[in-house]
Structure formats: C-alpha cells, structure tokens
Amino acid sequence: RSKDAGGGKFTSYEPQLHVAAEERRLLEQALRKALSNDELHLNYQPVVNADTGHLTGFEALVRWTHPELGVISPAKFIPLAEDARLIAPIGEWVLRTACAEAAGWPGETRVAVNVSPEQLHNPGFVSIVASALANSGLPAHRLELEVTESVFMRDDTGAVKVLERILGLGVRLSLDDFGTGYSSLGYLSRTRFSTIKIDRSFVIGAAKGVAEPIAIIRAVVVLAQSLGMTTTAEGVETADQHRMVQDLGCTKVQGYYFSRPLPVAEARALAHREGRERAVA
Ligand code: C2E
Ligand code: MG
Ligand code: MG
Ligand code: MG
C-alpha cells in the first residue's frame, strides 16, 4: 500500500492485524481438533469454608495443551471457542468429564462447572445436564453450574427458562465474577442462585483498605444472606485478603492462598484426605 493511500499508517498496522487474524484462524483450526485429539483436560481448584478452612468442593477449569504451543489459557481459547461455535461441544465435554471425575469423591464434595451463555440459549442443554448426571452417577445436588451476569444481557427469557429447568433437576447455580458485568439486581430475585461469587478485583481492593470495594462486598454479603444465598470470595492470594473477606462475612473462599487448580489425581487425593480427617474429628 502506498503512503498516499494511508499516510504511512497502513504499512505499520496492517501486518500486525494480519498476523493476529492468521494466528486466530490457526488456533481455531487447532481447537476444532482438540476434542478428538484428546488435548483437553480439567484442573480442579479447591473451594473452602472461610471460617473453618474445610474443603467444600472444587471448581473445574478446562486446560488445552496445543501440540506445538503448549498449554493455552482458557481466558484465551474459551472466547475463541464461543466465536467459532465450538463452545457447545467443548462445554459438553467439560460437563460430562467433571461429573464423571467427581462422582467418586467422598461425602458431599461438590464440583462446579463454568457454563457459557451460548450453552444456556440451547434448550437441549437441559437433557445434556440430565444425561451427564445419569451416566456418571453424580447426585444432582453435588453439581453446581457457574454462570456470569452476561447470560442476562441479551434477550434472556430462553436462558432463564433453561436455568429454571436445570434447577428442577436439583442442580445448584452460582453467579460467577459478580460485580464485573452489567449489574441488574432483577435477575437475582428471578433465578434461584445458591452462591454469589465475588470477583477477585473486589477482594484485592478490600484488602488494600479501599472504601468502595469494602462497601460493595459488605452489601453483597447482606444481600446474599437475605436471599438465602452464600458468598464465595474469588482469587484470594494472601492471608490479609483471607482475613478481610472473612471479616466481611464471605461464606467460602477460593484462591492461590489455599491452592492452585490441581490435576484430577491430586484433587481426588485431597478430597479423600479431607474426608478421613473430618470422619475422625
Ligand atoms: P473463573 O470461572 O472466574 O475462574 C477463576 C479463574 O481464576 C481461573 O483461571 C483460576 O485459575 C483463577 N484463579 C484462581 N485463584 C486465583 C488467585 O488467587 N489469583 C489469580 N490471579 N487467579 C486465580 P483460569 O483457569 O485461567 O480460567 C479463566 C476463566 O476461563 C474462568 O474464570 C472461566 O471464566 C473460564 N473457564 C475456565 N474453564 C471453563 C470452562 O470449562 N467453560 C467455560 N465456559 N469457561 C471456562
Ligand atoms: Mg468460575
Ligand atoms: Mg469466577
Ligand atoms: Mg473471576
């Protein structure tokens, strides 16, 4: 392209855009094969009671090991999967795998699975959940589906109906990354969530003593209590952050301070160890 056409701009920007688009296209192609090539697996991050430190369950987090590029973060490939209409098969694989792996965990140990908005706009998702439970033998009340506020942003009547039918199966729902999206409190009264997950950004601010995030966590805790819901503080990395969210009344905590997401064998071992200690105590 000549300088006359773009004032020199295109020569510097176009190649970059081109590379990004090309990288995207290649990643998308590779992602299409990730399932059949067995390149996905799940890690499980412990969720613990804020006061006792007892394990209550795990959140399943998907991992993709690309044959050449190595492990790619879900923060990168889940949005890609959503755009490429691959989220339905990937999400179904995550759900079935998490239910199967969690079914053998002891006692009431729960498993939480992240669900993309797109999955909830498909009425067939209800029977996928039912069949994942039936095939694995996992009791419905030990499965929790995490949805974000973005589910309610576009025409939400379809998604709300799907969520209602999922609740009818006895599965729990939690509202993920609370406070980061378009907050409208209306859907909190319309849909029966068990847990509100308070985003890490508030945890960080609160532990620094910033007034607004402290006020927001306090208000969310009161709101949750009055609606019969619990609260989980996300991304707790330090003892100070733990102390702060515990003081503010959060029910559960999750974060690197307690544990990184674990390979399935380590999660299973932890669940059994906790189960034994609790039985003795
Ligand atoms: P999320 O659901 O909010 O999951 C929590 C993320 O925070 C995870 O990142 C977890 O590893 C990270 N995290 C946990 N504790 C800490 C901490 O103390 N400090 C910091 N800095 N980070 C912490 P991950 O595994 O990279 O997942 C990123 C996001 O990708 C998830 O955020 C979720 O939105 C999405 N995701 C992951 N797995 C799935 C899936 O199977 N399906 C869908 N639809 N989305 C998924
Ligand atoms: Mg989550
Ligand atoms: Mg979250
Ligand atoms: Mg978050």
Side-chain angles (χ1 to χ4, degrees):
R1 212 178 284 263
S2 75
K3 267 204 156 182
D4 301 328
K9 263 190 185 166
F10 289 107
T11 42
S12 56
Y13 286 115
E14 205 178 39
Q16 247 180 323
L17 283 176
H18 184 73
V19 167
E22 179 66 6
E23 191 202 345
R24 238 183 116 77
R25 199 182 58 78
L26 287 174
L27 272 183
E28 199 179 298
Q29 251 176 26
L31 191 54
R32 255 174 231 292
K33 291 185 256 167
L35 267 181
S36 50
N37 289 354
D38 221 17
E39 291 165 5
L40 299 182
H41 71 276
L42 299 181
N43 275 356
Y44 292 92
Q45 187 174 37
V47 180
V48 307
N49 181 295
D51 295 323
T52 63
H54 287 160
L55 181 76
T56 61
F58 295 88
E59 177 176 3
L61 295 158
V62 67
R63 299 289 177 259
W64 176 26
T65 311
H66 184 284
E68 281 113 44
L69 301 174
V71 177
I72 298 175
S73 158
K76 186 165 184 178
F77 78 80
I78 291 291
L80 194 73
E82 287 170 340
D83 290 348
R85 308 197 133 269
L86 290 169
I87 196 64
I90 290 176
E92 179 172 349
W93 179 88
V94 168
L95 179 69
R96 291 185 183 281
T97 305
C99 289
E101 293 182 335
W105 296 345
E108 293 302 301
T109 314
R110 292 190 196 147
V111 67
V113 173
N114 293 284
V115 175
S116 287
E118 192 60 37
Q119 294 174 270
L120 295 170
H121 287 89
N122 166 23
F125 185 62
V126 181
S127 53
I128 292 173
V129 175
S131 116
L133 290 169
N135 291 345
S136 64
L138 181 76
H141 70 273
R142 284 174 50 203
L143 175 65
E144 185 172 303
L145 298 185
E146 297 195 359
V147 306
T148 60
E149 295 160 293
S150 61
V151 164
F152 302 97
M153 268 170 61
R154 70 185 214 210
D155 172 34
D156 64 359
T157 47
V160 168
K161 276 189 198 134
V162 169
L163 289 174
E164 285 301 324
R165 290 172 56 210
I166 287 171
L167 284 168
L169 298 173
V171 170
R172 292 169 200 253
L173 298 179
S174 59
L175 194 52
D176 204 356
D177 299 338
F178 188 78
T180 60
Y182 261 90
S183 295
S184 146
L185 298 179
Y187 50 72
L188 273 180
S189 58
R190 271 185 294 150
T191 305
R192 192 160 35 83
F193 288 97
S194 297
T195 303
I196 299 176
K197 299 191 77 171
I198 300 170
D199 192 68
R200 177 176 118 78
S201 52
F202 298 100
V203 174
I204 292 171
K208 284 185 183 148
V210 185
E212 292 81 3
I214 292 176
I216 287 170
I217 295 180
R218 195 171 273 137
V220 172
V221 166
V222 170
L223 178 70
Q225 277 168 352
S226 52
L227 293 171
M229 302 170 184
T230 62
T231 44
T232 301
E234 293 189 300
V236 174
E237 292 183 350
T238 67
D240 280 348
Q241 290 173 351
H242 176 212
R243 214 169 300 121
M244 178 54 94
V245 297
Q246 188 186 8
D247 285 349
L248 290 172
C250 293
T251 327
K252 288 172 282 180
V253 280
Q254 180 180 353
Y256 298 165
Y257 180 59
F258 305 95
S259 173
R260 297 243 165 197
L262 304 171
V264 61
E266 285 178 43
R268 189 196 308 121
L270 176 64
H272 282 281
R273 208 156 58 230
E274 280 258 338
R276 265 198 307 281
E277 278 168 19
R278 213 81 62 73
V280 172

